[in-house]
Amino acid sequence: QQAKKVVFQPPANPKAKETRSMFSRALAGLTKANSRAFTSASGAGLPKVAVVGAAGGIGQSLSLLLKLSPYVGDLALSDIVNTPGVAADLDHINTQGEVKGFNGREEMGKALSGAKVVVVPAGVPRKPGMTRDDLFNTNASIVRSIAECAAEHCPDAFLAIISNPVNSTVPIVAETLKKAGVYDPKKLFGVTTLDITRANTFVANALNRKMADVNVTVTGGHAGTTILPVLSGVEGANFSDEQIAALTKRIQFGGDEVVKAKDGAGSATLSMAYAAAHFTERLLAAAAGEKDVIECAYVESPVAAKDGCPYFSTQIRLGPNGAEEIFPLPSLSAAEQANYDEMIGDLASQIQKGVDFCN
């Protein structure tokens, strides 16, 4: 079965002219009785995707969006508990592919076996007052365990890491895969897409533009001040210094905004699920042969290596083998260069913390 050409445009695609969500696209498809994407229960010919942490706040919404994607075949869900229930619920949706749920570490291998993409939102979410160090102390071991399982059961899969702190968890996965002898830097991604979707949303609103007409490149890392939006590259924006400072801070600390709005009852789960589903779909589109698939992601990169950061987020060109081209850092304004200089040491330290955890 041939995947239909996606119309869910990437938020960082310079050629994007319109954006429709996968959810609205799928609902529209449900009204077409003869729609090829919804007439077969089998996902034969389409890649299997696994979600680890699928019963959590991000995982359930992410799994729903992936179930609606025309690029996803079978969906395997893994978590500590409650996963079979989530899978049974999703499996009643009349889109292609079967959904299965697996509970516990002992069943994770079954979920990962044969997967083309493994998306990892596992771990504890950030709560009010919780630092990135607090997150690290809990999530580092969880992520390493998942990487060990992936190395054994799906060594050739693309791994999309959501578990925070991404600046450190991606190096943990890399070091774990290296020890297993299966590391491919082109296939490991820290999902930073939420930074881009936030930047596009905030900038579009500030300029009173259509969302699809805004394309903000966001570079650096995926935590606080390590997030470096290149607002000087927004065509025709003419922001004042005060506006740039305010927008930059809001993009960097958008997660705090959501945690505060939820009054401590949760973090950015829905928007993160959207962003992760988007990145996963674009990754699968590129693997299926779509050309010029360009996204931002946190990968092993030479861009900031001279500053002690072997991992960095810039735009990358995705292809059948993963990250096939890494674009250089775009031109920075004086203020952006100052932000880069100020944060790069912190990013290097966070990367090294992940490396040291495994060694």
Side-chain angles (χ1 to χ4, degrees):
Q1 182 179 352
Q2 294 295 318
K4 294 165 59 177
K5 183 175 178 62
V6 71
V7 296
F8 175 52
Q9 298 289 350
N13 185 347
K15 299 180 180 178
K17 293 183 179 179
E18 62 176 326
T19 301
R20 292 181 66 195
S21 73
M22 287 183 293
F23 189 53
S24 62
R25 181 180 185 278
L27 287 178
L30 288 173
T31 65
K32 300 178 181 179
N34 295 323
S35 174
R36 290 173 56 196
F38 297 91
T39 53
S40 172
S42 172
L46 292 172
K48 173 182 175 179
V49 175
V51 179
V52 184
I58 297 171
Q60 290 198 40
S61 300
L62 169 60
S63 298
L64 171 61
L65 292 172
L66 292 176
K67 183 68 172 81
L68 302 179
S69 171
Y71 282 97
V72 177
D74 292 339
L75 194 58
L77 310 183
S78 172
D79 212 323
I80 300 171
V81 293
N82 301 326
T83 330
V86 176
D89 197 355
L90 291 176
D91 204 36
H92 290 182
I93 297 172
N94 61 321
T95 58
Q96 76 279 4
E98 184 178 14
V99 186
K100 292 184 178 180
F102 302 88
N103 272 348
R105 176 65 174 83
E106 62 278 2
E107 290 192 344
M108 189 190 302
K110 296 177 183 178
L112 300 191
S113 180
K116 178 72 172 180
V117 179
V118 178
V119 193
V120 185
V124 299
R126 191 155 60 95
K127 298 176 182 178
M130 182 178 277
T131 67
R132 295 283 166 174
D133 284 341
D134 295 332
L135 273 179
F136 180 91
N137 293 335
T138 301
N139 288 348
S141 296
I142 295 172
V143 170
R144 180 171 62 183
S145 176
I146 295 167
E148 289 170 345
C149 190
E152 180 180 356
H153 294 280
C154 56
D156 295 324
F158 298 123
L159 301 181
I161 308 303
I162 301 169
S163 306
N164 276 316
V166 165
N167 292 350
S168 301
T169 55
V170 168
I172 287 172
V173 174
E175 293 300 310
T176 304
L177 297 179
K178 288 175 185 177
K179 288 184 177 181
V182 296
Y183 177 56
D184 183 346
K186 292 182 178 181
K187 294 185 175 182
L188 174 60
F189 308 90
V191 180
T192 63
T193 312
L194 182 53
D195 300 330
I196 291 86
T197 62
R198 282 176 175 151
N200 286 348
T201 299
F202 302 158
V203 169
N205 288 337
L207 297 175
N208 196 27
R209 292 182 184 176
K210 293 180 179 179
M211 296 291 173
D213 293 337
V214 176
N215 169 37
V216 182
T217 297
V218 182
T219 66
H222 185 58
T225 57
T226 68
I227 299 168
L228 182 60
V230 187
L231 299 176
S232 63
V234 178
E235 186 175 354
N238 296 319
F239 289 127
S240 67
D241 291 343
E242 292 76 15
Q243 286 176 308
I244 288 176
L247 281 168
T248 297
K249 184 175 181 180
R250 192 179 181 201
I251 293 163
Q252 291 173 333
F253 296 98
D256 293 348
E257 185 177 316
V258 175
V259 170
K260 182 178 180 181
K262 290 187 175 182
D263 198 22
S267 57
T269 54
L270 301 174
S271 53
M272 184 66 249
Y274 164 84
H278 164 81
F279 181 79
T280 303
E281 182 161 280
R282 300 310 295 154
L283 186 58
L284 289 170
E290 185 171 326
K291 304 298 183 183
D292 294 324
V293 178
I294 298 172
E295 294 290 329
C296 289
Y298 182 72
V299 298
E300 182 176 319
S301 166
V303 169
K306 64 179 177 58
D307 294 317
C309 295
Y311 300 90
F312 200 80
S313 178
T314 52
Q315 284 191 334
I316 59 175
R317 188 185 307 277
L318 297 171
N321 298 313
E324 298 194 341
E325 182 180 1
I326 297 173
F327 291 91
L329 194 67
S331 297
L332 302 179
S333 68
E336 289 160 353
Q337 184 63 54
N339 289 341
Y340 175 96
D341 294 339
E342 184 176 348
M343 71 82 175
I344 200 67
D346 289 339
L347 179 56
S349 296
Q350 292 168 29
I351 292 170
Q352 191 59 46
K353 187 171 186 176
V355 173
D356 291 343
F357 178 79
C358 294
N359 296 301

